Amino acid sequence: MSRSSFFRLEDLAGFRQAAYRVFGTVLLYPSQERIKNLAHAARELERQSRPLVGFAFFPEWQRFLSTLAGRGDSATADLEEDYLRLFVVNQEVSPYESSFRAPGNPALTMAALDGEYVAGGLSMATSFSEPPDHAAVELEFMSLLCEQEGEAWAKRSVTDALRHLEREAGFLDRHLSRWFPVFTEQVGFRAGDSFYTSVTRAAHSFIEHDRALLSAFLEQYRQEAVHG
Amino acid sequence: MVSREGPSGRAEMKVLVCQKLETFGSGLDLQAIKAWFRDQTPEVSFQIQPGPCCERAWWQKASLSEASGLVLGLCSRDYSMAELEAQARKAGLDPFGVEVVNLGSYCAQVSAKPQATEKAKILLKAACARAEVFPESRPDSVKPVLSWDHTVSRRSLFTLPPLRYEPVASIRKESCISDEGCRVCANSCPRQALSPLEDGPMTCDKSRCTGCGACVSACPQTAIDLPGASSKQIEAQIAALVNTDSASLYPRAILFVCRKSAHVLDDLARKGLSYPPNWIPMEVPCIGMVTPTWLLHCLDLGAAAAAVLPCERDDCRFGQREVVEGRIAYCREFLELIGGTPDSVRLLDPLDEERLASSLKDLPVREKRAGGNGHGEPPLFAPGASAQTILGLAEQFASPLDRTLMHPYSPVGVVTISQGCTACEACVHACPTRALRVQRDTESMSLIFDATLCIGCQACASICPERVVRVEKVTDLSLLAQGRFTLYRDSEVRCQTCGAPIAPGAMLKKITALLGSHPAVPAITRYCLSCRGVLTPGPATVEKVKGGEINDS
């Protein structure tokens, strides 16, 4: 029997919420303060991640956390330079979904995303400068959906939890899984053996795993529902 | 203390053998195996200690975090796979790259100590060869599987059900040529799990994929990965199983065992139904991935026999037993054709243990040849591998080359073209192995066929607009030996203005016949695209081409 046999779904949702949040935040501009906070969070998550050893993404996750934790005490000038070169000034790789899915008409993608966010009971904060199709925003949205799912499990509301799970799976299918793999590939190609290559690879690995896990989970629940 | 950095400066492969094997069954001489490994492969760290089959906390003594790869030689299959996978992940190892060899039922329980020890060396060496070339699994090459194999209680509703992972096929986009129309993998998949996306790339539907590996064997570009059964791993393992030096185990025979049927060999061992130690088992995810080329390749490398042990029909991932039977039938007929022993290739019955043991009793006699098969170790998955294997065997059995075998499971095919070809090259672009090519000179164009590259996939025949291309699943030794030859030749009509090629003569004839007296015909048949400008129907076109100089009458 697997170690994850008695993994509480509430805890799993909590972990996924944290993971999506970290992946989202790490794809925002790497200011000294932000990286310091992320490194602190990574050290905390490293301690809490031991029960996840049975999951396929664990080695990648572990490597990602130790890389991130290791950045806490060092200067971030190199990260800032890489970030600007890759995603902002030179825009060697676009971190926006619309660049991959509808390069000629970004409004279409953004409108679809706005719809998703509203349906999830959320809206973009006006203080936030990035458009709704930025990788960080989409990952943050997944984090919020996981948070809602976790709350539903905590309240023992299976129906609500499943509704959130369906929404998470749908969002991954309709958005992140459609463009993030190509984005990861391009970052790897442009950035070589850099921090952002390992970040996007770990995030891609996690997203791919999460999508497959949600699909398997929902399928099981559907079968259970059919067979009573 | 073993360090990650070996003498070569690289991380080390670790072989961990359960110490109980010293006394299990007829026992293994573990110290002899260790000494042999030290001599043969000093870069491998060899450790004798209780394995996961005997001790739950085995990993505490194993220093797994210092290994680059792991091979476990165990006395039985009584261990928790989930626990093993978790420990591997914890140590930073990919669980699908961890090789587990059941030395108990494959060696210690079925053979006397000296033979069992020799066999164990071969199996461990082959497992190391597999582990060394393991391409790390990717996020898209595994799928989580949850199983509620019990009544769902209220508590279990709020906990994650037991989770395990299964390997699934994943496509390396950089190698895949589905955007050129290749559908070989999709056609080989018994579950319709592979299909191209609208914009080109082939994708695998994880929920349908059973991990049988049929696509891995079929892909002409070796663009498909299946963790634990990648083409490189299979190739390395077969070569090591056949070629690892062990004078006492000769002739050798390779037994491809479906993982679901591995327990059948364990049962034989438990019941004392022994078979010659020369049968070296090689577990594969499914017999559906074992092609005729694999089986013949073993013989070509020097094995006396190759056999397959499938699972029970109802349980099969591949689900097409008639295909497996057809492949075996082809191999046997081919061996008969070239003067070999048909019985060198066998299909075994997993349901009848007595019969299975007796099927393994006799081995065909095979003389040991010095220096391998005389033509090096041909790759198993490269284009032309089937032809190379077939010709290699024909040479070994001194077969005349005027032999042909028409068979639906022939791994090679022959393309013929009947009258009416317009040399449009659609077949050339559709061919996934580049068996069809066009060669041009100033006067003519030729359609060249390389018989050694054709896999008989029918892609050329199905795309031909004239329906003149025919593909036969036939093994024709003389054509294979001949290699390339011209299938069709035509004149190359050139532009009367600049001399650039316009089209083959037959195509222009066909266009003329189709368009009849259409005024554009003279322009099309005499001038290249650049010189005739943009064509519009009607006399204006001719006028434009003429430019006031060329009289079209």
Side-chain angles (χ1 to χ4, degrees), chain B residues 27 96 149 176 182 287 332 352 369:
Chain B
F96 290 106
D149 49 2
C176 178
C182 180
I287 291 303
R332 294 171 73 98
D352 186 337
R369 285 168 299 111

Side-chain angles (χ1 to χ4, degrees), chain A residues 5 7 9 55-56 209 220-221, chain B residues 89 146 152 157-158 160 165:
Chain A
S5 304
F7 211 104
L9 292 172
F55 290 85
H209 181 277
Q220 278 283 352
Y221 256 95
Chain B
R89 284 198 186 95
L146 300 167
V152 179
L157 263 181
F158 299 100
L160 188 70
Y165 291 91

